[in-house]
């Protein structure tokens, strides 16, 4: 295949608009949520607005923001991560929305509660204990507060409030962070959920908390306002963890969330090209789409030659081709593609891919994290 033919193929495959609920994303490229801690006091400033607008102007169709804390004392573990409550923070988010829309993109906030990943005594509310389904850390050790029914109701209400606020501020949808070992995912995983009430036990019961959050958000916004759900098998610090060892087990998780009103699933993997289960080439996003009938986003080392763990070792990631990605998109295995580190290193990654300027792509270096623009 010639360079010109490859560029044409990429443009044709990735430049197609896609409808999520009542919103149309101008192309199939999304920016993956990535925590930055560049919001002092939890308030996103003009630099944050410029950061996201630059990616939208660079061809990204859908921006999914870094995780932003819902209104609950135990939701966060840093006062430099943005929050999604309080007049000062919401004014900042309004400017972010305006900037991204002016640049031609769409944008959704990722709503986040860290659960047991919270460090005891950490800001923004030092007195709030780490809270989770059973008070267990990801390694299974007791280290926090087992949530009561009142706690659950408060967190569910906090997510619903944030979803309604996002629609009021002009966002194009919301994403619920149900992945990577944070609060919602802690309920889904048997190692951290040892409850004996209606929120624990069977895989379907462990999904109840997540489904109630989805349903509450769905009820708090307009019927066509997109509600995305991010999920993963792996957890931070446990990359071999699995919620579902088989497609049937995955169906037990996906079905209640679909019934609760998820518009699309964002399926987080470390390497998008790896099959999720033996006997099929489908990755996690492909399986979730097949089982749920909902659109899916895939993510995982797109456009780079190593996975994100290399970032923690301060390693550079070289540019990699996306032919395998296009193969899967062309057969509708999934619907959108989320880009992470490649967009950190190169704000114009999307435009360069769509325009065939692959020779101008910038490799990602971990040192860029200190000077992101």
């Amino acid at each position: 295949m010639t360079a010109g033919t490859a560029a044409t193929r990429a443009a044709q495959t990735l430049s197609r608009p896609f409808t999520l609920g009542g919103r149309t994303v101008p192309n199939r490229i999304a920016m993956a949520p990535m925590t930055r801690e560049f919001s002092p006091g939890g308030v996103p400033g003009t630099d944050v607005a410029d950061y996201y607008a630059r990616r939208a102007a660079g061809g990204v169709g859908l921006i999914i923001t870094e995780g932003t804390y819902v209104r609950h004392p135990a939701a966060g573990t840093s006062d430099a991560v943005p929050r999604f409550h309080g007049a000062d923070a919401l004014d900042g988010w309004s400017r972010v929305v305006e900037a991204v829309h002016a640049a031609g993109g769409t944008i959704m906030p990722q709503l986040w509660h860290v659960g047991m990943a919270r460090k005891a005594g950490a800001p923004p509310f030092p007195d709030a204990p780490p809270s989770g389904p059973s008070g267990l850390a990801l390694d299974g050790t007791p280290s926090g507060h087992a949530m009561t029914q009142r706690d659950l109701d408060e967190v569910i209400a906090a997510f619903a409030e944030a979803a309604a606020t996002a629609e009021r501020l002009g966002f194009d949808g919301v994403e619920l962070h149900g992945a990577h070992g944070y609060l919602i995912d802690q309920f889904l995983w048997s190692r951290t959920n040892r409850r004996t009430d209606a929120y624990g036990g069977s895989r379907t019961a462990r999904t109840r908390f997540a489904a109630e959050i989805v349903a509450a958000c769905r009820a708090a916004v307009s019927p066509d306002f997109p509600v995305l759900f991010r999920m993963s098998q792996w957890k931070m610090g446990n990359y071999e963890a699995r919620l579902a060892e088989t497609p049937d087990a995955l169906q037990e998780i996906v079905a209640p969330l679909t019934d609760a009103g998820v518009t699309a699933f964002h399926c987080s993997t470390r390497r998008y090209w790896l099959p999720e289960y033996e006997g099929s080439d489908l990755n996690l996003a492909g399986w979730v789409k097949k089982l749920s009938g909902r659109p899916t986003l895939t993510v995982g080392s797109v456009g780079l030659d190593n996975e994100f763990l290399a970032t923690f070792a301060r390693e550079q990631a070289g540019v990699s081709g996306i032919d395998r990605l296009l193969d899967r998109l062309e057969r509708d295995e999934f619907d959108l593609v989320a880009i992470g580190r490649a967009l950190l290193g190169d704000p114009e990654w999307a435009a360069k891919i769509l325009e065939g300027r692959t020779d101008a792509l910038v490799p990602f270096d971990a040192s860029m994290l200190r000077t992101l623009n």
Side-chain angles (χ1 to χ4, degrees):
M1 183 181 295
T2 67
T5 303
T8 299
R9 180 191 182 208
Q12 289 177 340
T13 304
L14 292 168
S15 64
R16 297 171 296 162
F18 190 79
T19 299
L20 288 170
R23 306 298 192 275
T24 298
V25 179
N27 60 43
R28 301 303 178 98
I29 300 173
M31 182 176 185
M34 290 171 282
T35 300
R36 302 173 64 230
E37 295 194 88
F38 280 14
S39 297
V43 179
T46 55
D47 58 326
V48 175
D50 292 343
Y51 164 79
Y52 287 122
R54 190 170 293 113
R55 272 75 188 170
V60 175
L62 171 62
I63 302 287
I64 303 174
T65 75
E66 62 210 285
T68 178
Y69 299 146
V70 297
R71 189 198 298 271
H72 186 259
T77 193
S78 168
D79 59 0
V81 167
R83 48 187 160 81
F84 211 73
H85 57 89
D88 51 355
L90 297 181
D91 286 346
W93 282 120
S94 292
R95 290 190 290 271
V96 173
V97 172
E98 292 171 4
V100 169
H101 285 169
T106 58
I107 182 169
M108 302 181 185
Q110 185 188 71
L111 307 180
W112 190 20
H113 191 302
V114 303
M116 292 298 299
R118 172 174 164 74
K119 297 180 178 63
F125 298 98
D127 294 336
S131 299
S134 303
L136 301 176
L138 291 185
D139 63 3
T141 60
S143 60
H145 167 68
M147 297 173 70
T148 66
Q149 184 64 55
R150 179 177 177 178
D151 295 326
L152 301 182
D153 293 343
E154 289 176 352
V155 170
I156 292 167
F159 273 96
E161 175 195 10
T165 298
E167 184 173 28
R168 176 174 59 80
L169 294 181
F171 280 93
D172 300 291
V174 294
E175 177 173 283
L176 310 178
H177 196 340
H180 305 163
Y182 296 113
L183 179 63
I184 295 175
D185 195 23
Q186 290 161 20
F187 273 83
L188 298 176
W189 196 29
S190 59
R191 177 177 293 190
T192 45
N193 185 346
R194 306 289 178 81
R195 298 176 74 96
T196 57
D197 62 3
Y199 295 91
S202 71
R203 189 174 287 106
T204 299
R206 295 197 306 270
T207 308
R208 177 173 176 169
F209 180 61
E212 288 185 355
I213 290 176
V214 173
C217 290
R218 180 81 278 152
V221 299
S222 300
D224 63 351
F225 190 71
V227 176
L228 276 55
F229 189 91
R230 196 176 207 208
M231 63 181 299
S232 69
Q233 299 260 39
W234 63 273
K235 323 297 172 197
M236 294 300 295
N238 192 328
Y239 301 103
E240 305 306 316
R242 295 176 71 79
L243 293 177
E245 294 285 352
T246 66
D248 286 345
L250 183 62
Q251 172 73 1
E252 292 180 47
I253 298 169
V254 169
L257 298 174
T258 303
D259 292 344
V262 168
T263 306
F265 290 91
H266 185 178
C267 303
S268 178
T269 58
R270 293 156 60 196
R271 298 169 290 247
Y272 76 86
W273 57 88
L274 293 183
E276 191 61 33
Y277 299 113
E278 291 185 8
S280 169
D281 289 335
L282 294 177
N283 71 5
L284 182 62
W287 271 108
V288 170
K289 180 177 180 177
K290 178 179 180 178
L291 294 171
S292 69
R294 294 289 194 268
T296 57
L297 295 79
T298 197
V299 69
S301 303
V302 176
L304 299 177
D305 64 2
N306 64 20
E307 61 182 351
F308 77 96
L309 289 179
T311 303
F312 302 121
R314 316 306 290 179
E315 296 177 15
Q316 179 171 321
V319 173
S320 178
I322 59 170
D323 287 343
R324 288 181 295 182
L325 179 74
L326 298 178
D327 291 341
R328 291 169 180 265
L329 265 174
E330 287 171 347
R331 61 177 182 253
D332 294 325
E333 181 176 337
F334 38 75
D335 302 286
L336 293 100
V337 178
I339 314 298
R341 290 169 299 148
L343 273 173
L344 290 181
D346 191 346
E348 296 184 354
W349 185 91
K352 291 175 181 177
I353 290 291
L354 293 173
E355 296 166 8
R357 296 185 286 123
T358 54
D359 57 342
L361 291 169
V362 178
F364 172 79
D365 190 295
S367 64
M368 294 173 173
L369 294 173
R370 295 191 295 270
T371 56
L372 286 180
N373 55 28

